[in-house]
Amino acid sequence: MPVHSPSLFPFRNDAGRAERPVGYRILAALVMLLACTSLLAGCGKQTVGHLARAQLQPDTPQAISMQYLRFTYRVVPLRESVGVRGQASLAPGALPAWATWYEQLTVMVYLSDASGRVLDTEEYDYLPRAVGDEGSLPFETRFYLAPDDQGPLYVSFGYRMVATEHAPNPDGTDDGGRSLIVGEGALDN
C-alpha cells in the first residue's frame, strides 16, 4: 500500500501509475476553471469603435456607408426598446466585374454605447443569389434596453460576404472559379 505524501510531486501506486495528491488535482482543476472563465469573459466583450456608427436619432432617415455595403435606416422608438428598420445595398463599383454571385451574405446590426462597446447585436443571413438580383436587402430588429443602458446609444453595421464568379454547385463541390471573401464587423476585446 502506498504512503501518501503531502508533496505536490507525483508518486507511483501499486499499479505503477503516477498519482498526484488530491490537493494538486483540486488546484489544477481550479486553475483550469479560472482559465476557462477568463477566456469566456473575454469573448463576451465586443467593440465597434473602429466602424462607422451614428447616434440613435428617432424617426430620422440615416445612412452609413461601408466599403462594400451602404445601409439606409430609420430608428423607431418603442416602449423599453428601440427598433431599427432599414435596408442594405451594394456600394456602386465595390465588387469586381467577375463577381456575379453571392454565395454567402450576412448583415449584422449593432447597438453600442458611446465608447463603442456592443450592447446587443442581430444577424441576418440572406439566401445565395445573383449579384444585382438583391435590390436592397431589408432588415428590421428590436433592441431591448437594459436599465443601465443610459446615455447616448449608437447604431452600426457589419457584414460578411463571399462573392463568387459562378453560382455554387448543387453538390457543394468547388467549380474552380474565383471568389472574394470580405467583411467588416465587431472585434473581440
Side-chain angles (χ1 to χ4, degrees):
M1 172 93 44
V3 176
H4 290 286
S5 165
S7 99
L8 294 177
F9 298 104
F11 61 89
R12 302 270 173 205
N13 65 11
D14 290 338
R17 292 183 309 208
E19 282 189 9
R20 299 199 187 271
V22 173
Y24 182 84
R25 289 182 286 200
I26 291 173
L27 179 63
L30 287 174
V31 167
M32 288 300 294
L33 179 64
L34 180 62
C36 290
T37 303
S38 62
L39 181 63
L40 289 174
C43 291
K45 297 177 184 175
Q46 292 187 314
T47 182
V48 291
H50 62 289
L51 296 176
R53 60 193 172 121
Q55 189 170 350
L56 296 181
Q57 296 177 11
D59 295 322
T60 304
Q62 292 180 271
I64 292 180
S65 292
M66 301 178 83
Q67 186 173 356
Y68 288 88
L69 293 178
R70 184 179 191 321
F71 297 89
T72 55
Y73 65 98
R74 182 181 293 265
V75 174
V76 180
L78 304 165
R79 185 184 317 153
E80 298 178 9
S81 65
V82 62
V84 179
R85 177 184 297 157
Q87 55 196 13
S89 55
L90 187 63
L95 292 178
W98 57 260
T100 61
W101 195 265
Y102 294 116
E103 188 171 308
Q104 177 195 353
L105 182 56
T106 302
V107 166
M108 291 84 73
V109 183
Y110 301 105
L111 180 69
S112 65
D113 61 13
S115 69
R117 182 177 58 97
V118 173
L119 304 174
D120 204 353
T121 185
E122 187 70 39
E123 285 193 10
Y124 298 89
D125 290 310
Y126 298 94
L127 293 173
R129 63 189 72 219
V131 170
D133 287 351
E134 77 278 2
S136 60
L137 303 163
F139 57 85
E140 186 172 323
T141 190
R142 174 181 252 181
F143 294 119
Y144 290 92
L145 303 176
D148 58 335
D149 291 342
Q150 301 300 318
L153 298 175
Y154 294 81
V155 67
S156 55
F157 300 95
Y159 59 89
R160 287 186 304 271
M161 179 190 320
V162 178
T164 58
E165 191 169 14
H166 308 290
N169 291 330
D171 61 1
T173 60
D174 185 13
D175 64 5
R178 294 178 280 188
S179 62
L180 174 69
I181 302 170
V182 294
E184 295 180 77
L187 297 175
D188 291 331
N189 279 345

